[in-house]
């Protein structure tokens, strides 16, 4: 169970369909698009709320907690 305050968490955008179609590049980078986990843009809760979801295969892009994203 995650007991962190959401406003102090870091988030990334993730797409399972992009991960499969792009050999592990299922995380969003504001600079280059879909990338591997280590290159993903990290967002605060405030910045995530202002950001539109990117276009993804299957339209499955979603926000996940960065610290737990490695499990994805």
């Amino acid at each position: 169970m995650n007991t962190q305050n959401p406003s102090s968490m870091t988030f990334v955008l993730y797409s399972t369909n992009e991960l499969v179609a792009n050999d592990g590049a299922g995380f969003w980078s504001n600079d280059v698009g879909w990338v591997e986990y280590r290159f993903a843009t990290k967002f605060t809760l405030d910045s995530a709320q202002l950001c539109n979801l990117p276009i993804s295969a299957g339209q499955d892009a979603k926000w996940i907690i960065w610290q737990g994203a490695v499990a994805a």
Side-chain angles (χ1 to χ4, degrees):
M1 182 165 108
N2 194 333
T3 59
Q4 279 187 300
N5 178 350
S7 64
S8 68
M9 291 185 204
T10 305
F11 299 86
V12 292
L13 282 162
Y14 170 74
S15 164
T16 300
N17 285 318
E18 294 293 337
L19 182 81
V20 171
N22 296 306
D23 294 324
F27 297 88
W28 182 255
S29 164
N30 282 348
D31 296 326
V32 294
W34 295 105
V35 297
E36 294 176 6
Y37 169 76
R38 63 185 173 189
F39 301 116
T41 299
K42 281 88 176 169
F43 297 85
T44 64
L45 179 61
D46 289 339
S47 64
Q49 291 174 332
L50 298 173
C51 184
N52 293 321
L53 293 177
I55 295 172
S56 63
Q59 299 177 341
D60 69 338
K62 62 183 174 183
W63 293 104
I64 61 174
I65 299 171
W66 173 64
Q67 292 83 346
V70 131

